[in-house]
Amino acid sequence: MDEENNRPQGRISRSFIFSILFVAAIVALIIYFIFSNMSTVKSIQFDEFATYLAQGKVNDVQLVQGETKITINGHYTKEDSTGKAIKTAFTTGIPEEMYNTELDWYIDINGDGVKETITKSVTQMIVDATKNNEPGSTSNFVITVKDPYEVTWFDRWGPTIILIAASTLLLLFLFSRMSSSVNSSNRQAMDFNRSRARRVNTSKIKFEDVAGADEEKAEMEELVYYLKEPKKYTKLGAKLPKGVLLVGPPGCGKTLLAKAVAGEAGVPFFSISGSDFVEMFVGVGAGRVRDMFRIAKENAPCLVFIDEIDAVGRQRGAGLGGGNDEREQTLNQLLVEMDGFNDNSGIIVIAATNRDDVLDPALLRAGRFDRKITVSLPDVKGREAIFKVHAKNKKVSPEVSFENLSKRTVGFSGADIENIMNEAAILAIRENREEITIRDIDEAIDRRFAGPAKKSRALTEQEKWRTAYHESGHAIVGLRYPHANKVQKITIIPRGNYGGWVLATPEKDKYNLTKGELIADIVLDMGGRSAEEIFCDDIDTGAYADIKNATARARAMVCEYGMSDLGPIQYERDTGSVFLGRDNTNTQKNFSADTATKIDAEIRKIIDFAHEEAQRVIKENREDVELLAKTLVEREQITAEEIEYLMEHRHLKEDEKPAVEAAQPEAEEAKVEPTDADNK
């Protein structure tokens, strides 16, 4: 397991304690020096001292004999401006010329500005002053025996002790860091084979949080009953399944289902990716597999979830340059471990992948992965339920119909719908709205299809009309041609590489397509090019993607689906990528050169037929195409409801006059040079 998940909570490392003590010692040293330099002793001149002495304001003195001079320390009392007596410590020095000499002192004794002459020896003067000041007098002058400025032991040794303590703590801190680094390196060397699986004791995901996968949930609910009441199944000789393989496209909820099983069963959930096993050193992956199953057995019953198992479970001995020894050893160990634990031991391995075709057959056999559950994309009811799940914690306008949204999002996965609702919330906040409206969700869907709108990409009037005719051609084919998909939206707002596009979806979810439906799709693809040929008298590169899609569909009909005059024969099949254990070519062709010529002829036949059908439909509905084009130039985009109203009333609800009266460009203006305005 991860070291972070197994580390005891609330434990403080020694290096952290040493660092705190070291910082505290440095701060104490700094504070000491700051306060030691903030001396309250006032340094005065000797004449000022003599004046205070003569006035009887000196309280006590001490003579300190130095090597070169004599210093006088003491206290004097002086009144401040408010008349309050303040006792102040002072220090002064005796001039060398006054040492034991008779001198005339010119001192302002009375403080009236008149200096009087005092002739005395300095020391004798102090002694006489001592005799003249009796105890209890105002000056209370005495020569003290005890030195009030005596240096204490802390003054002498305090800074040294603090420096030694700080240095010691610093050394301990450094040694602790070095020791922890060495120990960490040793642990990393020893823990290299430890499992990287992340443990979740109680998953918060429940089955109610998973929508659009009712059949899959029914299969997974049985695992919950196995984990909760294993004895109920063992009475009839039923064995707990060892492994469940979830297969499905990205974003359809495989990981969510695994978490929901753990949440419902209330058992520990170990999650790891297939790539976490593989390292550059041979044997590491196998060691991690062993350690993962060892810990799983200690915590049984539990779930072990391996995401993207195809990273480690691909077929052995396939691909260019032979197999990868490290990956193959990891796979071998996984096979052994899944056979190693006993039936009903309480461990269920759930693996997820979207490439089950590249997995090793030994991994898929019964006894390892006993069940294979295909998690498909949600149907229309599933998408509606998913919309409601992701709208629970959001403030959505009551006008939003999730049923209609589910019909417009055919082929969307649960992750796509979650992203759409999140983008819609962000767009609502950006527009300072109090709730998410259908406009925000509609814009989020468009962003998911083709990216944000290119507002800076301004189209000329001619480009707008060409794009409008192109998209109207697609739309009219979708509206008028049998078996065609229903048109949900038309727009000429540039998005990404698209100059405009038509959203056409099946009215109901389809899992198989008929030949007529495939032909209708190709006719729909050719509708844009046909409209340009009829209304613009020229063509451009905007139909590039349409032609590409139409050709791919026609080739699949001929070579894979057997829907041509060549009969039900599969001439080509997709073999996948060489790096996934497949052949050196992506498609395998099983036909001769003569057959290749016939295949090309059949593909051309289908494309030509679709092209002619598209032109026929557009010519028969010419007025409808022009009406849609004019409306698109004015509105830039229209939805399915607006299209239906427009076709019936020939104008939209808020129009004051019919859209057909809008100005139409002259024929010469409609003829523009080929552009890539609609790289659809």
Side-chain angles (χ1 to χ4, degrees):
M1 300 301 104
D2 285 343
E3 184 179 351
E4 296 179 358
N5 296 334
N6 297 330
R7 181 179 297 170
Q9 298 296 323
R11 184 178 177 180
I12 303 177
S13 62
R14 288 183 300 171
S15 60
F16 178 76
I17 297 175
F18 287 144
S19 62
I20 293 296
L21 294 176
F22 173 72
V23 173
I26 295 299
V27 171
L29 187 63
I30 294 173
I31 293 175
Y32 170 78
F33 281 114
I34 290 176
F35 281 95
S36 64
N37 292 330
M38 296 174 59
S39 176
T40 57
V41 179
K42 184 177 181 181
S43 178
I44 61 176
Q45 298 294 327
F46 183 79
D47 290 346
E48 187 177 358
F49 159 71
T51 301
Y52 292 150
L53 182 65
Q55 294 176 352
K57 296 181 179 181
V58 178
N59 301 98
D60 57 78
V61 295
Q62 175 193 13
L63 299 181
V64 181
Q65 179 67 50
E67 295 180 358
T68 59
K69 65 178 182 178
I70 300 175
T71 303
I72 302 176
N73 300 326
H75 295 84
Y76 67 85
T77 303
K78 184 180 179 182
E79 295 180 353
D80 59 5
S81 58
T82 61
K84 182 180 179 180
I86 299 177
K87 188 176 182 180
T88 306
F90 74 89
T91 181
T92 186
I94 300 177
E96 294 182 3
E97 62 270 13
M98 292 185 179
Y99 292 170
N100 298 318
T101 59
E102 297 289 341
L103 295 175
D104 293 335
W105 290 5
Y106 295 90
I107 303 172
D108 184 3
I109 298 176
N110 299 321
D112 54 3
V114 179
K115 292 185 178 182
E116 300 179 4
T117 302
I118 300 177
T119 304
K120 279 188 177 182
S121 168
V122 175
T123 54
Q124 186 62 38
M125 177 195 70
I126 295 175
V127 173
D128 293 343
T130 303
K131 293 178 180 179
N132 294 334
N133 286 275
E134 298 296 334
S137 63
T138 56
S139 60
N140 192 25
F141 180 80
V142 294
I143 297 180
T144 58
V145 178
K146 182 180 179 181
D147 184 2
Y149 298 94
E150 180 181 359
V151 179
T152 63
W153 70 270
F154 186 79
D155 294 329
R156 295 181 181 276
W157 302 106
T160 304
I161 294 174
I162 293 177
L163 283 175
I164 293 174
S167 302
T168 303
L169 290 172
L170 177 60
L171 291 175
L172 290 175
F173 172 73
L174 294 177
F175 280 123
S176 175
R177 295 290 294 178
M178 293 173 61
S179 176
S180 62
S181 298
V182 173
N183 293 336
S184 177
S185 300
N186 292 335
R187 284 196 302 269
Q188 289 180 1
M190 297 299 294
D191 296 347
F192 208 68
N193 286 350
R194 292 286 181 89
S195 171
R196 297 297 189 264
R198 292 162 291 278
R199 174 175 177 172
V200 178
N201 289 327
T202 304
S203 175
K204 298 180 180 179
I205 306 298
K206 305 293 183 181
F207 278 136
E208 62 183 15
D209 300 317
V210 183
D214 296 336
E215 293 80 5
E216 292 83 352
K217 283 196 294 184
E219 289 290 327
M220 302 297 280
E221 283 177 354
E222 203 167 38
L223 300 180
V224 177
Y225 301 144
Y226 273 132
L227 292 170
K228 285 185 174 180
E229 301 180 21
K231 294 182 179 179
K232 179 180 179 180
Y233 293 88
T234 56
K235 288 181 180 179
L236 298 178
K239 298 180 180 179
L240 191 69
K242 292 184 177 180
V244 177
L245 182 64
L246 301 178
V247 181
C252 59
K254 299 185 291 294
T255 303
L256 198 63
L257 278 170
K259 291 181 178 179
V261 172
E264 293 287 345
V267 297
F269 179 75
F270 297 101
S271 175
I272 192 171
S273 173
S275 60
D276 289 334
F277 291 112
V278 183
E279 291 285 351
M280 64 180 294
F281 303 108
V282 177
V284 172
R288 291 179 179 177
V289 171
R290 286 191 296 270
D291 189 63
M292 181 184 70
F293 279 95
R294 177 186 62 82
I295 297 175
K297 292 174 184 177
E298 294 174 356
N299 292 274
C302 65
L303 283 178
V304 177
F305 177 65
I306 306 176
D307 196 11
E308 304 296 343
I309 194 173
D310 53 278
V312 69
R314 286 178 294 176
Q315 293 182 11
R316 292 167 289 182
L320 294 177
N324 182 300
D325 289 339
E326 163 61 4
R327 182 180 59 78
E328 291 192 0
Q329 287 194 21
T330 305
L331 174 59
N332 292 336
Q333 188 63 44
L334 181 61
L335 299 176
V336 171
E337 290 293 338
M338 291 194 69
D339 268 342
F341 54 87
N342 298 325
D343 297 330
N344 301 317
S345 61
I347 303 174
I348 296 179
V349 180
I350 301 178
T353 181
N354 55 355
R355 289 302 310 270
D356 60 316
D357 57 317
V358 302
L359 295 179
D360 194 274
L363 191 65
L364 300 177
R365 75 161 175 82
R368 292 196 175 107
F369 283 101
D370 300 294
R371 289 188 181 181
K372 178 180 177 181
I373 300 176
T374 300
V375 185
S376 305
L377 292 173
D379 56 13
V380 61
K381 293 183 179 179
R383 291 191 297 273
E384 182 181 355
I386 295 173
F387 268 113
K388 292 179 180 179
V389 167
H390 294 297
K392 285 182 179 179
N393 60 341
K394 298 178 177 63
K395 191 174 182 180
V396 183
S397 172
E399 298 178 356
V400 175
S401 173
F402 293 119
E403 181 181 358
N404 293 335
L405 286 174
S406 64
K407 295 178 181 179
R408 292 180 49 197
T409 52
V410 176
F412 276 45
S413 66
D416 292 329
I417 295 175
E418 180 183 9
N419 178 262
I420 286 172
M421 293 303 298
N422 185 65
E423 284 289 332
I426 294 174
L427 292 171
I429 294 172
R430 188 181 300 175
E431 298 295 332
N432 296 320
R433 281 192 280 272
E434 297 296 328
E435 58 185 10
I436 301 173
T437 63
I438 187 63
R439 176 183 174 185
D440 301 317
I441 300 177
D442 186 67
E443 175 65 18
I445 293 175
D446 290 347
R447 285 169 171 257
R448 186 62 185 166
F449 271 116
K454 295 289 187 69
K455 297 181 180 180
S456 60
R457 182 179 171 183
L459 299 178
T460 64
E461 193 68 18
Q462 290 81 4
E463 288 176 330
K464 277 188 177 181
W465 278 100
R466 178 182 292 279
T467 305
Y469 278 122
H470 183 106
E471 304 305 336
S472 298
H474 286 305
I476 288 300
V477 172
L479 292 171
R480 301 288 186 257
Y481 198 76
H483 307 297
N485 293 331
K486 182 180 179 180
V487 177
Q488 300 287 351
K489 185 176 183 180
I490 316 172
T491 179
I492 60 172
I493 299 175
R495 291 179 182 272
N497 294 327
Y498 296 83
W501 53 288
V502 173
L503 174 60
T505 60
E507 295 188 18
K508 298 181 179 179
D509 290 313
K510 297 180 180 179
Y511 304 98
N512 293 306
L513 296 175
T514 64
K515 181 178 179 180
E517 290 170 344
L518 288 171
I519 292 293
D521 289 339
I522 300 175
V523 175
L524 182 63
D525 288 332
M526 301 305 296
R529 167 58 63 86
S530 301
E532 291 181 21
E533 294 171 347
I534 294 173
F535 292 97
C536 300
D537 297 332
D538 200 358
I539 56 177
D540 62 14
T541 59
Y544 162 78
D546 297 330
I547 297 173
K548 177 182 177 182
N549 293 335
T551 305
R553 287 191 175 99
R555 176 170 288 276
M557 290 178 63
V558 175
C559 298
E560 297 181 39
Y561 306 147
M563 295 180 178
S564 69
D565 294 340
L566 295 180
I569 301 174
Q570 188 180 57
Y571 293 102
E572 293 179 355
R573 66 182 182 90
D574 188 4
T575 56
S577 174
V578 62
F579 298 105
L580 294 176
R582 297 311 186 198
D583 294 335
N584 199 22
T585 56
N586 290 337
T587 57
Q588 184 177 357
K589 300 180 179 181
N590 301 316
F591 50 82
S592 63
D594 180 63
T595 304
T597 303
K598 294 179 181 180
I599 290 174
D600 293 339
E602 288 294 321
I603 294 174
R604 176 176 292 277
K605 180 180 177 181
I606 295 174
I607 296 295
D608 289 343
F609 173 78
H611 191 191
E612 293 172 0
E613 286 292 286
Q615 288 183 330
R616 179 185 62 80
V617 172
I618 291 173
K619 289 177 181 178
E620 291 176 356
N621 299 274
R622 186 183 185 99
E623 293 182 358
D624 292 341
V625 176
E626 292 177 345
L627 177 61
L628 279 176
K630 293 180 179 67
T631 307
L632 280 173
V633 170
E634 294 175 359
R635 298 295 187 89
E636 293 189 333
Q637 65 180 17
I638 49 178
T639 61
E641 294 79 8
E642 293 173 332
I643 294 171
E644 184 178 353
Y645 188 91
L646 180 64
M647 292 293 100
E648 181 179 356
H649 299 87
R650 314 307 292 175
H651 66 86
L652 296 181
K653 293 181 181 180
E654 57 270 29
D655 286 345
E656 295 181 358
K657 56 184 178 180
V660 292
E661 298 181 7
Q664 183 178 7
E666 298 296 333
E668 292 299 327
E669 293 181 355
K671 296 179 181 180
V672 297
E673 295 298 325
T675 62
D676 194 14
D678 182 17
N679 187 14
K680 182 179 178 186

